[in-house]
C-alpha cells in the first residue's frame, strides 16, 4: 500500500490558523460508512446523530504548555525545548533546538531563573534527556513559563491557552491536543447525556509523532510512534455495557480510537488497562470496538488519514475530503469536523 494513495491537494488558505469563538459552531460533515453519503451540518447538530444507549468516548488528556524558551548558561545563546514525555520525577525526554549543540552537560536557564535544565543523556533518536531543578511545583512553574506546542502548520499566536485544550481535559501529559474534542462545550455534552447517551473517558497522551509524516513509500514499512494510554475499570464498564445492550461506541478522535482498539478483545469488549500502544490502523484493519468516529480533517499521507480510511474506505474518505475542499471547510487542528457513522 503506497503512501501516495493517501494524498490530496489542499489550498493553504484552508488550514485553520485560529479557533472559532464558539467551539461548537464549527462545521460538521456527516459521512455514511455504508454508502459514502455526505451531509453538511454544524457541530452542535451532533446529538441528532446519536441514539439512546450509544456511548461517546472522550480522550481526557491535558496538553502541557510544553514549549520552553531559555538561554544556555555561560554563553546566553538561545535554546528551545519541547517536552515529550516524563521519564522520572524531574527528568524529561525533550526535543531541543539547536540540537547539535546541546551536548551532555549543557545547562540552560528559563525565565528569571525559576527553572534550570541540564542535558544528562542523548537518546537513539537524537532527543535529549534533561534533568530540571526548580523551587515549588514543576507544573506550576511550567504553567508560568511554558507555551502551548502548536503544530508547525499553525503560525498565528494563540491568545488563550485554553483554546488548545478540551473542556474535559484532566490528565496532564500530552504534547498535542486531541483536536476532535476541541469542538465540545459543557452545554453540548449535557445535551448528549440528556439524549440517553453515556459518556466514557479514556486517556491517551498525544506525542510528537502525531505530526510526523510517513516517510516510507510502502506504509507497511512505517514504524508507528508509541503513546501512553490508560482506561479505568468504571469507564471500561460503561463502554462494555453499551456494547452489550446494542448501543454504538462512538470514539471522539483518532486517539480515543487507538486506545479502544488497543484495549479491546475480539468481541469488542474493553479491558481496564494501561501501557504503551503502537497500534497502526490502516485500510484492511477490522475494527473490534468502535462503530463511529468524530474526527477533524487530517494531513495528507498521515497515519491519521489512514486510520479514517480504514473505517470509512479510502475512496469514500478522499472523495469526502475533495468535497470539503470545494465547500471551503477549515482543515486540521483548529478546523472543522467530520462524523463517520
Amino acid at each position: 500500500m503506497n503512501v501516495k494513495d493517501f494524498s490530496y491537494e489542499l489550498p493553504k488558505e484552508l488550514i485553520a490558523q485560529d479557533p472559532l469563538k464558539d467551539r461548537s459552531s464549527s462545521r460538521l460533515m456527516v459521512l455514511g460508512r455504508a454508502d459514502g453519503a455526505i451531509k453538511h451540518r454544524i457541530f452542535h447538530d451532533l446529538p441528532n446523530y446519536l441514539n439512546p444507549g450509544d456511548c461517546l468516548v472522550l480522550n481526557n488528556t491535558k496538553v502541557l504548555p510544553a514549549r520552553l524558551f531559555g538561554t544556555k548558561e555561560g554563553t546566553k545563546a538561545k535554546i528551545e525545548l519541547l517536552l515529550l514525555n516524563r521519564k522520572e520525577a524531574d527528568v524529561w525526554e525533550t526535543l531541543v533546538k539547536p540540537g547539535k549543540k546541546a551536548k551532555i552537560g549543557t545547562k540552560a536557564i528559563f525565565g528569571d531563573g525559576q527553572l534550570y535544565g541540564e542535558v544528562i543523556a542523548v537518546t537513539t533518536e537524537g532527543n535529549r534527556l534533561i534533568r530540571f531543578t526548580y523551587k515549588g511545583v514543576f507544573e506550576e512553574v511550567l504553567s508560568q513559563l511554558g507555551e502551548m506546542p502548536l503544530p508547525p502548520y499553525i503560525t498565528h499566536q494563540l491568545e488563550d491557552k485554553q483554546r488548545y485544550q478540551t473542556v474535559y481535559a484532566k490528565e496532564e501529559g500530552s504534547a498535542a491536543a486531541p483536536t476532535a474534542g476541541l469542538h465540545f462545550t459543557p452545554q453540548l455534552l449535557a445535551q448528549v447525556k440528556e439524549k440517553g447517551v453515556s459518556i466514557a473517558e479514556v486517556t491517551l497522551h498525544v506525542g510528537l509523532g502525531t505530526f510526523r509524516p510517513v516517510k516510507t513509500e510502502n506504509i507497511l514499512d512505517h514504524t508507528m510512534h508509541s503513546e501512553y494510554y490508560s482506561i479505568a475499570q468504571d469507564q471500561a464498564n460503561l463502554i462494555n455495557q453499551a456494547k452489550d445492550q446494542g448501543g454504538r461506541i462512538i470514539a471522539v478522535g483518532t486517539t480515543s480510537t487507538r486506545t479502544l482498539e488497543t484495549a479491546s478483545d475480539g468481541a469488542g469488549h474493553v479491558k481496564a488497562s494501561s501501557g504503551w500502544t503502537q497500534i497502526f490502523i490502516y485500510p484492511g484493519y477490522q475494527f473490534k470496538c468502535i462503530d463511529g468516529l468524530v474526527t477533524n480533517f487530517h494531513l495528507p499521507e498521515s497515519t491519521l488519514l489512514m486510520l479514517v480510511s480504514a473505517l470509512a474506505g479510502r475512496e469514500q474518505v478522499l472523495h469526502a475530503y475533495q468535497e470539503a475542499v470545494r465547500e471551503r471547510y477549515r482543515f486540521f487542528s483548529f478546523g472543522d469536523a467530520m462524523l463517520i457513522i
Side-chain angles (χ1 to χ4, degrees):
M1 201 173 299
N2 196 294
V3 67
K4 296 299 181 184
D5 294 338
F6 301 90
S7 185
Y8 66 93
E9 295 294 325
L10 178 68
K12 287 186 178 180
E13 65 269 19
L14 296 186
I15 300 174
Q17 293 295 320
D18 303 287
L20 296 181
K21 186 175 181 180
D22 174 18
R23 290 175 183 261
S24 64
S25 64
S26 294
R27 297 171 75 182
L28 177 69
M29 176 184 283
V30 181
L31 175 63
R33 285 181 69 184
D35 58 6
I38 293 172
K39 297 176 183 177
H40 302 289
R41 299 290 186 263
I42 304 298
F43 196 82
H44 55 61
D45 295 328
L46 178 67
N48 297 334
Y49 292 91
L50 303 178
N51 301 326
D54 288 347
C55 181
L56 193 70
V57 183
L58 314 175
N59 180 8
N60 65 11
T61 189
K62 190 171 185 178
V63 185
L64 291 165
R67 180 163 274 123
L68 289 164
F69 297 90
T71 56
K72 285 187 181 180
E73 189 176 71
T75 67
K76 302 297 182 183
K78 292 183 178 179
I79 189 169
E80 177 185 341
L81 303 185
L82 179 63
L83 306 184
L84 300 179
N85 58 76
R86 185 178 239 145
K87 293 298 185 182
E88 51 187 85
D90 293 319
V91 176
W92 285 76
E93 182 178 354
T94 68
L95 188 65
V96 180
K97 293 182 182 179
K100 290 183 179 179
K101 295 184 179 180
K103 301 182 186 302
I104 294 175
T106 298
K107 296 179 180 179
I109 305 168
F110 303 92
D112 295 321
Q114 296 106 307
L115 183 65
Y116 291 85
E118 180 180 356
V119 179
I120 61 171
V122 180
T123 71
T124 54
E125 294 85 8
N127 298 331
R128 268 56 178 174
L129 296 187
I130 293 184
R131 176 176 285 114
F132 291 101
T133 55
Y134 50 90
K135 290 183 179 179
V137 179
F138 180 78
E139 285 74 16
E140 292 177 359
V141 174
L142 192 62
S143 179
Q144 293 175 16
L145 302 179
E147 295 184 7
M148 283 298 185
L150 296 179
Y153 48 75
I154 294 178
T155 59
H156 289 191
Q157 187 75 24
L158 183 63
E159 295 181 4
D160 180 3
K161 287 183 181 180
Q162 293 307 309
R163 292 312 308 273
Y164 195 58
Q165 206 78 269
T166 65
V167 298
Y168 47 79
K170 295 176 185 175
E171 305 294 336
E172 287 190 324
S174 275
T179 53
L182 296 178
H183 305 282
F184 285 92
T185 64
Q187 295 79 12
L188 185 58
L189 289 169
Q191 290 176 30
V192 169
K193 287 184 177 179
E194 287 169 6
K195 187 146 189 187
V197 176
S198 60
I199 296 178
E201 295 183 2
V202 299
T203 302
L204 183 136
H205 292 320
V206 188
L208 187 65
T210 193
F211 300 128
R212 287 182 177 149
V214 176
K215 295 182 178 180
T216 59
E217 184 176 343
N218 186 339
I219 70 169
L220 302 182
D221 295 330
H222 175 68
T223 300
M224 195 68 177
H225 58 284
S226 181
E227 294 170 316
Y228 179 81
Y229 77 93
S230 178
I231 304 177
Q233 185 64 62
D234 60 338
Q235 302 305 299
N237 291 345
L238 279 173
I239 298 164
N240 293 336
Q241 183 178 9
K243 175 77 71 174
D244 289 341
Q245 294 178 355
R248 299 172 300 176
I249 309 302
I250 313 297
V252 176
T254 57
T255 59
S256 297
T257 300
R258 293 179 69 234
T259 303
L260 292 171
E261 293 299 312
T262 295
S264 59
D265 61 22
H269 290 100
V270 174
K271 180 181 179 181
S273 56
S274 63
W276 295 83
T277 180
Q278 288 183 286
I279 189 170
F280 183 14
I281 297 175
Y282 52 86
Y285 178 85
Q286 298 297 312
F287 286 87
K288 299 174 289 185
C289 183
I290 76 161
D291 303 291
L293 172 66
V294 178
T295 189
N296 279 21
F297 291 90
H298 302 294
L299 277 75
E301 301 180 12
S302 65
T303 60
L304 308 181
L305 181 56
M306 293 168 192
L307 184 153
V308 173
S309 297
L311 183 65
R314 185 184 68 86
E315 292 184 2
Q316 287 188 167
V317 168
L318 290 179
H319 173 72
Y321 271 53
Q322 291 169 358
E323 176 81 359
V325 169
R326 282 195 296 270
E327 294 293 327
R328 311 297 289 177
Y329 272 66
R330 300 165 72 249
F331 278 67
F332 305 160
S333 294
F334 287 141
D336 295 316
M338 174 186 281
L339 170 64
I340 301 172
I341 205 160

